Amino acid sequence: MTSPNPPRWITRFFRWFCNPEISDAIEGDLYEQFRYNVKYKGLRQAQFLYFWNVLLFFQPFAIRRNSEKSSKLIIIDMYRNYFKIAIRNLIRHKGISFVKIFGLAVGMGCTLLILLFVENQLSYDKDHQHRDRIVRLESESWVIMPPYLGETVKVFPEVENVVRFYFWYEPTLRYEENVFTIENFGVVDSTIFKVFDFDFLAGSAETAFYAPNSIVLTKSIAYRLFGSENPIGKTVLMGGQDRFTVTAVIDDVRKFHMDINGLVSTEDIARVMGSRDILTSRNFNWSIYLLLQPLVDKEGLIAKINERAVEVDQYGGVPLILRDFNDIYFARNLAHEKNTKHGNINLVIAFAAIGVLILLIACINFINLTIAKTRTREKEIAVRKVTGAGAPSIRNQFFGETLIVVIISFALSILMAYLFMPTFNYLVSEQLQLQNISIEMLLVFVGVLLFTVFVSGIYPSIYLSRVSALSILKGRFGKSGKTAVLSRLLISFQYAISIFLIIATITVNRQLSYMQNKDLGFSNEQILTCRMKGDKFASGRDNMIASKAAFTQRLTQNPNVKGVTFLNQLPGKITNTASFGLTEEDQAVPFRVINADPSFLDLMDIELLYGRNFSDEIQSDMDTKLIVNEEVVEVMGLENPIGTILIQGSNRMEIIGVVKNFHFNSLHQRIEPSAIVWDWWTTRACIKLSGSNLNQTIVNIDEIYREFSPGVGFEYDFLYESFGRQYEAEKRLEKIVLSFVILAILLSCLGLFALTAFVAEQKTKEIGIRKALGAPTTAILWLLSNNFIKWVLVANVVAWPIAFILLRNWLESFSYRIDLGIWVFVGSGVLALLISFFTMSFQGVKSALLNPVDSLKYE
Amino acid sequence: MKGTNIGEFEELVLLAVGLLYDDAYGLAIVAELKKQTGRNVSLSAVHKVLIRLEKKGYLSSYAGGATRERGGRNKKLYIMTSTGKEVVNQVKDLRNHMWDSIPKIVWDSK
């Protein structure tokens, strides 16, 4: 009889995994079943069923136990014991365990938040597949460009595509009853989606600007406008008259250096706007991005572009440059950008550094307390060793304990990060979310976690696994000072960090208040600024002069308005430059030029040193006369400045007055040679108000403004505020540093506190005996703290030079800065000492006041 | 009663062991359950329950009955222990008791 056998490999597989005690009987059953199936269901099916039934046996009840049952049980019992001991130890030393877990949780929570922030900042502009080939066309002095340069560069074969952005238009959109104005509305070339990648939720990159009068909206705008209806194909009324059809919806634009809420194409807007042609060469408002062919020599290209630009130009001959798209987000001090967000790479670095420091402090606490506690575990280790534990199993035990604590802390740190997320988001002005963390960052974080476990666990585990059981049991162990030195070293390191942070906080703080209180040379208080718009201020010299005079006259009827002056650029943002020389051949000196009028000096409280102000009576003062600052006199070496003729191109300008230097730009920059000229085409009104009833005055100004600039919303700002905004990065730095410094010091104190408490506990007997022999409380206090204080002093020595070098570098980024006073260093050291002393005396006094009878009864 | 609770499937297997008397082994029980209940039960499920019931002390086993069909391998034959029998009885009594306690009206109403 040649009936088939089941496939051998399946049988072998079965025998491999099955518990030998039952495998024989089951195999018999399987075999019998197979034979039966072959007979009634055919070979193939029988084979399949055989395989299937074998697989069904792959369950715990049938799987072979790997090693002998008994040894396995012992290992499990051992781990269970480790776990039990670990938990019992945590509970027994509640204070220390709290400090360990809480400290570590705070450290890890900070790291988590900081990682989120760093990731968020570094991920800006990264979602664009061509990002390495995209550049932005800028000039050396400013970012925005006239539109025709886009066309000029398009002809170069190196340039694959060009897209121009124009953010000036804030249209109202209407759909049925929903009407609102949308900001960050981009007028762009239809090539945008060939250069940049956006997430299309509906519609596609190809069809978005295919048809005329198309509009692309972001998700939230589409939702505001259409609610839950499908936006695609809907018609919106833009600016009250033009119909646009929604062709695509993109996801909200977040990690991009521009804020974008909606897009329409240049062609459509140019057609719709008709008379006010946005594409005229005078419209310096465009940001131009180029997508280059792969491997283009950028230096060569920009040289060619510059040559070409001079030929086509009208354009002022300021050299053009290409800025890599990847560099835009972290670029600093760019002038005249539209609608652009920037990150501060220094802030990111400072942040990461602080995060590392705090985690380090937490780790040190952890190590110190673990080492301190291991002293109480020596006997346990000795007994374990006597009963046969080897060094590896002791090591495992202590790593395991560390792991348990770290895992508890980790859970706590997530909770903390979650709770503090809103505060943190406010500090860094971002919208971070815990669940948005990326896989990479999570891996980094797990790395940090393992690092913590390793660093904190390695010392105790190695130290304890090496000790000899005999010496412990004989009571000889633990007299060596090695561990004590290590933990003191770590403490002083911890204090060095704290001292450094205190010095840094004080210095940043002083520099900021210095900048805010420095005599700027002009007054920016109570000055309201707004921009005049509309036909009356659009064209023609006479027209504009008349409008401004009328506007001024109407305003000054209000007794709370002290004066009005018109500028072309606001203080803090003066970028207009021109070069002046004494003769035509002379080497010209670049001046900052402020285009103003006669009331400017009075309104801003700028002191006139000699000469005279512009006069309304003297017509020739306009266009041909200059008022300069002291810096000009010094740089050009003018002995008798009044009446000197300066030459700028074909213009000859006469100096009629000299004013005291004033800080019109950020204090990061030096005072530059500056000139004030009287011009008629200035449109930024600066209105000086006087004290009382500010709101009423603003309402009044609003009314008058609407008369003169009908149909334009009244938007105003206060000069003091807009001027202060230049220091926003520093202010934020101050807040962040301050909050983390407090945290760091708190953590250090906590560690020290727990350690003193522990030492006091260890020395209970000694203290008792000393007291019994008549030692005063102060002596006991000294006994407990003198060692630590010595090491806190050492910490100063470490912290000072580092703080000095780093802070001097930071201060060098300011042209006007404070000196690093020695008292800051000494003060911080004393502060750290005082803090640590108070921390320790808290515990010290407690044990010093203990009745010696009680302490001697101990044990 | 506490501690002697058994599941429905366990009960079925226990009953099948009793029913098959001296030929109660894995595959035979599978066949019996198929015959009695119409369910397709896998061999592993039956073995799992058999092992569990043996551990609980309701069944005991002995080896025997190797045949050609089985490739010369022994069967693991099961018989009910006295506790096993007791459990089956208890289950039956419980059911009967509960069944008898159902008021007549339940059967009369549709």
Side-chain angles (χ1 to χ4, degrees):
Chain A
M1 182 168 171
T2 56
S3 75
N5 280 326
R8 280 211 54 83
W9 65 271
I10 303 177
T11 313
R12 225 180 281 156
F13 169 65
F14 175 75
R15 283 185 196 151
W16 170 74
F17 76 75
C18 189
N19 185 347
E21 282 171 35
I22 54 168
S23 71
D24 199 50
I26 294 174
E27 213 182 302
D29 281 7
L30 285 166
Y31 190 84
E32 204 181 324
Q33 192 185 36
F34 175 76
R35 295 288 281 268
Y36 175 87
N37 283 340
V38 169
K39 219 191 258 169
Y40 293 99
K41 296 183 178 169
L43 181 63
R44 282 203 73 85
Q45 181 125 22
Q47 277 173 340
F48 173 76
L49 282 172
Y50 184 73
F51 175 64
W52 179 240
N53 275 305
V54 164
L55 264 192
L56 284 180
F57 273 99
F58 198 76
Q59 294 183 48
F61 84 94
I63 291 175
R64 151 203 317 262
R65 309 277 185 264
N66 245 343
S67 46
E68 303 122 276
K69 231 178 165 183
S70 51
S71 85
K72 175 133 187 165
L73 269 181
I74 281 182
I75 287 179
I76 288 174
D77 279 349
M78 191 170 75
Y79 281 112
R80 196 175 290 162
N81 178 269
Y82 285 171
F83 188 76
K84 198 185 273 173
I85 296 290
I87 297 295
R88 279 182 187 165
N89 265 305
L90 284 179
I91 291 170
R92 192 160 130 218
H93 305 273
K94 284 193 191 69
I96 284 196
S97 307
F98 169 78
V99 172
K100 268 166 94 168
I101 293 174
F102 180 75
L104 209 54
V106 168
M108 286 197 288
C110 288
T111 319
L112 195 61
L113 289 177
I114 284 166
L115 276 178
L116 268 177
F117 172 73
V118 170
E119 183 201 16
N120 168 281
Q121 291 297 298
L122 296 182
S123 65
Y124 264 85
D125 289 345
K126 290 291 182 288
D127 295 335
H128 302 270
Q129 56 167 327
H130 301 310
R131 63 191 155 92
D132 296 325
R133 293 200 278 135
I134 301 172
V135 293
R136 185 166 72 180
L137 187 68
E138 300 173 7
S139 84
E140 279 179 1
S141 311
W142 50 77
V143 173
I144 45 174
M145 293 277 115
Y148 62 85
L149 277 177
E151 323 249 330
T152 311
V153 295
K154 210 180 273 177
V155 300
F156 290 102
E158 292 93 333
V159 179
E160 190 178 305
N161 240 318
V162 176
V163 56
R164 298 171 297 179
F165 286 78
Y166 179 24
F167 288 96
W168 143 86
Y169 193 47
E170 290 181 356
T172 50
L173 294 186
R174 172 192 279 273
Y175 174 72
E176 289 172 357
E177 296 310 306
N178 278 341
V179 191
F180 55 87
T181 307
I182 87 172
E183 296 175 334
N184 304 324
F185 191 78
V187 177
V188 296
D189 291 335
S190 54
T191 46
I192 173 172
F193 300 121
K194 293 188 178 126
V195 179
F196 296 107
D197 301 311
F198 292 99
D199 279 343
F200 278 85
L201 301 177
S204 72
E206 290 76 32
T207 57
F209 288 125
Y210 189 71
N213 285 17
S214 300
I215 183 170
V216 175
L217 298 174
T218 57
K219 191 173 80 181
S220 27
I221 294 293
Y223 186 76
R224 264 175 79 187
L225 212 51
F226 305 108
S228 51
E229 292 176 48
N230 178 9
I232 300 295
K234 293 267 178 349
T235 303
V236 292
L237 208 58
M238 189 160 79
Q241 49 192 7
D242 308 305
R243 291 179 182 283
F244 279 78
T245 308
V246 179
T247 51
V249 176
I250 55 176
D251 202 1
D252 290 345
V253 178
R254 283 207 190 85
K255 303 268 180 74
F256 193 49
H257 70 278
M258 285 184 264
D259 283 319
I260 293 175
N261 281 331
L263 297 166
V264 285
S265 76
T266 316
E267 294 84 347
D268 288 341
I269 290 298
R271 195 175 57 242
V272 166
M273 302 279 293
S275 59
R276 276 189 284 164
D277 192 358
I278 58 168
L279 290 172
T280 62
S281 56
R282 286 271 141 241
N283 190 3
F284 269 61
N285 275 310
W286 295 80
S287 308
I288 302 177
Y289 293 81
L290 317 181
L291 175 62
L292 304 179
Q293 300 283 2
L295 305 174
V296 163
D297 165 29
K298 287 172 195 163
E299 309 256 318
L301 177 63
I302 195 60
K304 283 204 282 182
I305 290 176
N306 269 319
E307 269 174 43
R308 189 82 191 96
V310 174
E311 287 170 31
V312 291
D313 200 15
Q314 306 120 327
Y315 188 74
V318 181
L320 299 172
I321 56 166
L322 297 177
R323 185 182 299 275
D324 284 340
F325 175 60
N326 289 325
D327 297 342
I328 293 177
Y329 184 66
F330 285 118
R332 303 205 68 184
N333 297 328
L334 299 184
H336 283 281
E337 263 184 312
K338 294 278 172 179
N339 211 55
T340 309
K341 284 188 282 190
H342 284 295
N344 182 343
I345 192 75
N346 289 335
L347 196 68
V348 174
I349 293 171
F351 229 75
I354 291 174
V356 169
L357 289 184
I358 289 201
L359 190 66
L360 222 57
I361 289 183
C363 280
I364 290 176
N365 270 348
F366 193 92
I367 297 172
N368 262 342
L369 295 176
T370 313
I371 291 176
K373 221 175 68 175
T374 47
R375 289 294 184 72
T376 64
R377 308 280 301 271
E378 281 160 359
K379 284 200 175 121
E380 176 200 335
I381 305 299
V383 171
R384 278 187 194 278
K385 285 203 158 183
V386 167
T387 49
S393 73
I394 304 276
R395 266 206 295 275
N396 286 345
Q397 183 192 349
F398 279 88
F399 267 117
E401 282 190 16
T402 312
L403 195 65
I404 290 172
V405 175
V406 169
I407 286 171
I408 297 173
S409 311
F410 176 60
L412 209 58
S413 76
I414 289 180
L415 187 74
M416 283 185 190
Y418 188 75
L419 288 178
F420 284 100
M421 192 63 82
T423 320
F424 185 72
N425 274 336
Y426 163 74
L427 277 180
V428 299
S429 56
E430 283 285 349
Q431 268 98 48
L432 305 174
Q433 277 180 313
L434 210 51
Q435 57 267 35
N436 285 352
I437 197 163
S438 72
I439 300 293
E440 292 84 5
M441 279 298 154
L442 216 55
L443 284 179
V444 170
F445 193 71
V446 170
V448 169
L449 212 74
L450 290 179
F451 175 80
T452 315
V453 173
F454 185 73
V455 169
S456 318
I458 193 161
Y459 184 80
S461 66
I462 286 178
Y463 163 80
L464 282 174
S465 65
R466 276 212 194 126
V467 302
S468 131
L470 205 60
S471 65
I472 295 177
L473 290 178
K474 277 183 173 169
R476 269 193 225 135
F477 192 72
K479 302 277 193 298
S480 88
K482 250 190 192 167
T483 52
V485 170
L486 184 81
S487 68
R488 306 276 191 281
L489 263 180
L490 287 175
I491 288 233
S492 46
F493 183 55
Q494 205 177 32
Y495 265 85
I497 296 175
S498 302
I499 291 166
F500 166 74
L501 288 176
I502 296 174
I503 296 175
T505 322
I506 295 175
T507 309
V508 170
N509 216 331
R510 281 178 62 218
Q511 172 69 22
L512 284 181
S513 64
Y514 170 77
M515 289 198 301
Q516 265 152 19
N517 299 327
K518 185 173 163 53
D519 179 18
L520 295 170
F522 76 100
S523 153
N524 55 19
E525 312 243 345
Q526 293 218 309
I527 294 177
L528 179 147
T529 66
C530 61
R531 189 171 189 165
M532 307 310 296
K533 291 175 184 167
D535 290 340
K536 287 189 174 162
F537 297 90
S539 54
R541 174 183 169 128
D542 297 336
N543 185 15
M544 250 178 114
I545 292 175
S547 304
K548 285 198 285 194
F551 184 61
T552 308
Q553 204 250 332
R554 282 293 308 277
L555 282 177
T556 42
Q557 281 169 2
N558 185 330
N560 285 331
V561 172
K562 282 189 164 172
V564 183
T565 184
F566 291 87
L567 304 177
N568 71 325
Q569 292 174 325
L570 289 180
K573 292 168 191 151
I574 305 280
T575 55
N576 197 8
T577 54
S579 296
F580 291 86
L582 284 171
T583 62
E584 269 167 65
E585 302 83 52
D586 189 27
Q587 196 164 16
V589 178
F591 283 21
R592 293 266 161 186
V593 179
I594 300 156
N595 308 82
D597 55 35
S599 43
F600 173 69
L601 292 187
D602 270 354
L603 196 105
M604 298 274 176
D605 278 336
I606 295 171
E607 194 183 330
L608 189 66
L609 293 177
Y610 17 84
R612 62 175 182 89
N613 192 357
F614 300 117
S615 166
D616 286 321
E617 268 87 65
I618 308 171
Q619 267 307 306
S620 62
D621 275 1
M622 204 184 271
D623 303 338
T624 60
K625 301 289 194 290
L626 285 176
I627 297 176
V628 298
N629 66 355
E630 291 170 288
E631 189 70 14
V632 170
V633 179
E634 191 166 315
V635 168
M636 298 187 105
L638 305 177
E639 279 174 17
N640 200 354
I642 307 297
T644 308
I645 305 286
L646 294 180
I647 293 157
Q648 183 236 344
S650 56
N651 291 337
R652 299 168 63 82
M653 313 280 274
E654 186 193 344
I655 297 178
I656 57 165
V658 177
V659 292
K660 220 172 142 186
N661 281 339
F662 52 94
H663 287 277
F664 242 31
N665 278 340
S666 150
L667 286 174
H668 281 290
Q669 297 163 12
R670 292 197 59 76
I671 286 184
E672 292 159 296
S674 308
I676 303 162
V677 296
W678 181 7
D679 262 313
W680 55 266
W681 47 270
T682 52
T683 56
R684 285 184 194 274
C686 295
I687 303 165
K688 178 115 181 168
L689 310 176
S690 77
S692 58
N693 220 344
L694 206 60
N695 286 337
Q696 185 56 46
T697 316
I698 291 172
V699 170
N700 186 238
I701 294 172
D702 185 7
E703 283 164 13
I704 299 170
Y705 181 87
R706 280 172 201 284
E707 275 174 42
F708 282 82
S709 296
V712 187
F714 178 56
E715 287 169 27
Y716 65 92
D717 206 350
F718 281 95
L719 194 55
Y720 181 74
E721 285 167 20
S722 61
F723 201 75
R725 253 172 243 141
Q726 307 175 81
Y727 305 118
E728 214 147 87
E730 280 81 15
K731 278 186 197 149
R732 245 198 276 164
L733 188 70
E734 186 191 13
K735 274 191 220 150
I736 291 165
V737 169
L738 192 68
S739 32
F740 281 113
V741 163
I742 292 173
L743 210 65
I745 294 172
L746 222 63
L747 278 183
S748 307
C749 286
L750 216 57
L752 194 63
F753 180 74
L755 210 57
T756 344
F758 192 79
V759 171
E761 195 190 312
Q762 300 264 292
K763 291 192 173 174
T764 311
K765 241 181 202 170
E766 184 185 339
I767 293 173
I769 293 171
R770 279 176 191 272
K771 283 206 77 174
L773 294 177
T777 310
T778 45
I780 304 291
L781 214 56
W782 180 246
L783 170 80
L784 287 174
S785 54
N786 67 354
N787 231 327
F788 291 117
I789 286 177
K790 206 162 64 196
W791 288 98
V792 173
L793 287 177
V794 170
N796 279 311
V797 179
V798 180
W800 288 358
I802 298 173
F804 179 76
I805 293 167
L806 290 179
L807 289 172
R808 202 183 48 185
N809 280 347
W810 181 71
L811 283 175
E812 266 165 14
S813 72
F814 295 90
S815 298
Y816 298 90
R817 56 180 177 257
I818 50 162
D819 293 322
L820 272 171
I822 183 78
W823 66 267
V824 176
F825 290 77
V826 177
S828 308
V830 171
L831 187 64
L833 205 62
L834 279 179
I835 291 174
S836 60
F837 189 73
F838 279 119
T839 313
M840 286 182 296
S841 14
F842 191 72
Q843 182 62 42
V845 168
K846 205 171 103 191
S847 33
L849 290 180
L850 224 64
N851 187 342
V853 174
D854 291 335
S855 38
L856 286 177
K857 267 200 310 206
Y858 170 85
E859 277 186 1
Chain B
M1 285 292 288
K2 206 184 162 215
T4 55
N5 290 332
I6 55 172
E8 187 251 4
F9 189 60
E10 285 178 326
E11 186 192 343
L12 285 179
V13 171
L14 214 50
L15 290 172
V17 170
L19 207 130
L20 289 165
Y21 180 47
D22 66 349
D23 196 29
Y25 69 101
L27 194 60
I29 295 169
V30 172
E32 191 59 35
L33 288 177
K34 167 92 182 157
K35 198 173 101 189
Q36 297 280 349
T37 67
R39 289 194 221 171
N40 273 320
V41 183
S42 79
L43 197 55
S44 70
V46 168
H47 270 281
K48 189 153 108 187
V49 169
L50 285 172
I51 288 171
R52 192 153 66 211
L53 289 174
E54 194 179 6
K55 228 183 240 168
K56 284 182 175 176
Y58 303 154
L59 294 176
S60 62
S61 67
Y62 61 97
T67 60
R68 242 188 106 96
E69 278 73 45
R70 299 177 56 80
R73 290 176 190 87
N74 270 330
K75 292 172 183 170
K76 197 175 187 190
L77 292 162
Y78 289 88
I79 51 168
M80 272 201 264
T81 61
S82 51
T83 23
K85 286 171 198 162
E86 209 173 292
V87 166
V88 182
N89 262 322
Q90 268 175 13
V91 171
K92 188 186 158 208
D93 287 348
L94 177 72
R95 287 208 178 165
N96 285 344
H97 175 73
M98 286 180 71
W99 204 94
D100 291 342
S101 313
I102 295 173
K104 270 243 153 46
I105 184 110
V106 174
W107 308 115
D108 294 342
S109 65
K110 49 166 191 170

